[in-house]
Amino acid sequence: MTRMKTTCAMLAVFVMMIQRAQGISLPGGWGACPKPPVVEDFDINSKPFGALYVGTWNEYERFPVPYEALIKCGKATYNIIDATTVSVNNTGIREIKIAGRTLSRYRQSASGTATIPDPSIPAKLVVSFGGQILSYFAKGNYWVLATDYTSYALVYSCTSLPFGVAHFDAAWILTRERGVAPEDLGALKDLLRDGGVNPDNFFVVDQTHCTVNSDPFHYLRDQGGNM
């Protein structure tokens, strides 16, 4: 057991060294995942102020995560399946540029489900993407730390290495209205910080020019590139 824990620690060091060498810094740190408090009495089916938590949420700010690299115009759409399950459809535009020149621009999407494993803590969901085989490797926790259901939501996710030697954080500030900051943005970040997660990792998501051409390489052709 000690040998396995040492191996995991060495793996964590190796991953962080590669990140630093490549100028990449994934949010996280040593030790197990933080456990910030979640929304009490969260009800994904509730209708305060005449609105559901389900529907479409736009990314206002997020932590840098590998699976959303180069993604702008990120948004998530949730729909009820049953009392403890919702469908998830995440979309965005992956824009690849080199030296200011757009090489490719196309819509990226991922579909899955979010479930509530413990009905006594409904704000702690687990999201799975892909089919039966892929979903085993594409699961993540989805904790709702704050929401008013109508304009903003603060969501946290964390991946822990075995034995809790290190962890990687992800967080999103979601808004119903695209590109508009929630009025209590500072308070949301303070809430995350108080829960042991560094909000300085947030960056503003570009929510402009959110339409795409059906041809992902038309920018390159339009600029006289050779295909």
Side-chain angles (χ1 to χ4, degrees), residues 184-196:
D184 49 359
L185 180 61
L188 294 177
K189 294 184 177 182
D190 288 341
L191 180 65
L192 201 62
R193 191 188 306 276
D194 292 344

Side-chain angles (χ1 to χ4, degrees), residues 45-61:
N45 295 294
S46 65
K47 296 185 178 182
F49 313 111
L52 292 164
Y53 182 81
V54 294
T56 298
W57 291 96
N58 299 285
E59 294 182 347
Y60 179 73
E61 292 190 11

Side-chain angles (χ1 to χ4, degrees), residues 54-221:
V54 294
T56 298
W57 291 96
N58 299 285
E59 294 182 347
Y60 179 73
E61 292 190 11
R62 71 169 184 254
F63 281 15
V65 289
Y67 46 87
E68 286 195 281
L70 306 178
I71 290 288
K72 59 179 293 185
C73 302
K75 67 178 181 179
T77 301
Y78 309 119
N79 287 296
I80 294 292
I81 294 177
D82 57 42
T84 60
T85 310
V86 298
S87 65
V88 179
N89 184 33
N90 293 337
T91 62
I93 296 174
R94 178 158 279 136
E95 192 171 75
I96 302 174
K97 291 184 177 181
I98 296 181
R101 185 182 186 185
T102 301
L103 301 183
S104 179
R105 192 171 187 273
Y106 58 94
R107 192 170 300 281
Q108 185 82 30
S109 65
S111 296
T113 57
T115 59
I116 301 173
D118 183 353
S120 69
I121 316 175
K124 292 185 176 182
L125 298 92
V126 174
V127 179
S128 300
F129 294 96
Q132 289 184 332
I133 296 177
L134 291 177
S135 64
Y136 178 82
F137 301 98
K139 286 186 177 181
N141 51 21
Y142 180 108
W143 290 10
V144 183
L145 306 189
T147 186
D148 66 352
Y149 297 91
T150 61
S151 62
Y152 72 84
L154 172 62
V155 176
Y156 172 69
S157 180
C158 184
T159 300
S160 180
L161 291 180
F163 305 105
V165 295
H167 67 276
F168 300 99
D169 295 318
W172 297 263
I173 293 175
L174 308 175
T175 57
R176 293 293 193 185
E177 192 171 354
R178 174 179 287 169
V180 177
E183 293 182 1
D184 49 359
L185 180 61
L188 294 177
K189 294 184 177 182
D190 288 341
L191 180 65
L192 201 62
R193 191 188 306 276
D194 292 344
V197 184
N198 184 5
D200 294 340
N201 292 302
F202 275 122
F203 70 92
V204 177
V205 178
D206 185 356
Q207 290 286 354
T208 61
H209 307 294
C210 294
T211 57
V212 292
N213 189 289
S214 58
D215 177 3
F217 298 103
H218 81 280
Y219 282 93
L220 187 58
R221 292 190 178 92

Side-chain angles (χ1 to χ4, degrees), residues 22 28 30 42 112 213 227:
Q22 296 182 344
W30 298 109
F42 176 75
N213 189 289
M227 295 294 293

